[in-house]
């Protein structure tokens, strides 16, 4: 289940966000991968194979309801009941940080969301990503503060026996000093090259867990 906001929902040449390249990696590596969720976007085919279009990416959404925005927290139990997942790739918080929605408590809201997912899908692996950077240096100060809290949230829950791991999307981007032009299509959203970086980062976390074709 790709879970998040517009960066998960769509974008890029194929309007499939990172899901296009992640599926292509599964084909190249002879692994079985499908996507589940209540929404659908993306191409019909990838490399001659039908593309699984489902996603739980919701443009403009926040971690929880607030600031006039819809949040993932109230909906996630229903989504998981309707379309159960073995792996959940979660990146959320971009809109919380962008509109400065109670930023100091954003990590707490993320922790509660992770807990709710773990309760609803106790056997699923939750892969939690640090946010990608924005192209605005001032906003990135808030992004870094939010991201800095995420490893502790993940570690605490992993030590409690929950199936949760961390991926660092921020570092995957900023290790290229030209990431703003190389990877970003606008202030918040990666372009194709950035979506490939995202897919490779997710793949490093889940590729070995996927069954062979």
């Amino acid at each position: 289940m790709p879970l998040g906001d517009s960066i998960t929902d769509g974008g890029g040449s194929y309007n499939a966000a990172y899901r296009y390249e992640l599926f292509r990696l599964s084909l190249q590596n002879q692994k079985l991968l499908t996507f589940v969720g209540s929404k659908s976007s993306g191409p019909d085919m990838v490399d001659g194979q039908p593309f699984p279009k489902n996603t739980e990416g919701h443009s403009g959404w926040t971690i929880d309801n607030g600031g006039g925005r819809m949040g993932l927290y109230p909906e996630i139990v229903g989504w998981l009941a309707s379309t159960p997942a073995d792996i959940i790739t979660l990146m959320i918080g971009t809109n919380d940080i962008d509109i400065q929605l109670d930023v100091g408590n954003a990590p707490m809201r993320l922790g509660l969301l992770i807990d709710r997912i773990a309760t609803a899908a106790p056997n699923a692996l939750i892969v939690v990503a640090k946010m990608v950077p924005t192209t605005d240096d001032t906003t990135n100060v808030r992004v870094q503060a939010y991201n800095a809290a995420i490893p502790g949230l993940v570690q605490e829950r992993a030590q409690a026996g929950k199936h949760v791991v961390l991926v660092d999307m921020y570092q995957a981007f900023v290790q290229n000093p030209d990431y703003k032009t190389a990877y970003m299509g606008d202030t918040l959203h990666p372009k194709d090259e950035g979506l490939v970086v995202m897919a490779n980062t997710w793949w490093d976390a889940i590729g070995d867990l996927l069954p062979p074709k």
Side-chain angles (χ1 to χ4, degrees), residues 28-51:
Q28 291 174 354
N29 289 277
Q30 296 292 304
K31 296 280 192 165
L32 288 172
L33 174 65
T34 193
F35 301 124
V36 299
S38 63
K39 296 187 66 184
S40 177
S41 63
D44 293 328
M45 304 289 288
V46 172
D47 293 352
Q49 298 296 316
F51 178 68

Side-chain angles (χ1 to χ4, degrees), residues 120-210:
N123 295 318
L125 176 66
I126 310 166
V127 187
V128 182
K130 290 186 179 183
M131 273 178 55
V132 299
T134 76
T135 60
D136 182 88
D137 292 337
T138 301
T139 303
N140 275 339
V141 174
R142 299 196 301 272
V143 171
Q144 288 175 293
Y146 172 70
N147 280 342
I150 297 176
L153 296 175
V154 170
Q155 182 180 27
E156 178 184 354
R157 285 154 179 83
Q159 289 175 342
K162 294 176 180 176
H163 302 138
V164 56
V165 297
L166 176 73
V167 298
D168 193 342
M169 290 292 177
Y170 190 93
Q171 183 58 35
F173 273 55
V174 300
Q175 65 185 6
N176 181 344
D178 298 320
Y179 81 88
K180 292 180 183 179
T181 54
Y183 297 153
M184 300 300 289
D186 59 25
T187 305
L188 300 177
H189 302 92
K191 60 183 179 180
D192 286 353
E193 292 81 359
L195 296 171
V196 169
V197 172
M198 290 190 71
N200 285 323
T201 305
W202 290 124
W203 183 261
D204 288 344
I206 71 171
D208 288 344
L209 304 177
L210 300 175

Side-chain angles (χ1 to χ4, degrees), residues 38-111:
S38 63
K39 296 187 66 184
S40 177
S41 63
D44 293 328
M45 304 289 288
V46 172
D47 293 352
Q49 298 296 316
F51 178 68
K53 295 185 180 185
N54 295 93
T55 181
E56 227 40 279
H58 297 267
S59 183
W61 284 39
T62 48
I63 303 166
D64 199 353
N65 291 351
R69 303 290 185 102
M70 296 285 289
L72 301 182
Y73 184 84
E75 306 295 335
I76 186 59
V77 173
W79 292 335
L80 286 167
S82 297
T83 57
D86 297 311
I87 298 170
I88 295 124
T89 52
L90 172 63
M91 192 178 83
I92 191 65
T94 299
N95 295 306
D96 299 71
I97 301 306
D98 184 51
I99 67 172
Q100 300 189 54
L101 175 60
D102 190 15
V103 171
N105 286 315
M108 179 194 71
R109 296 195 298 276
L110 177 63

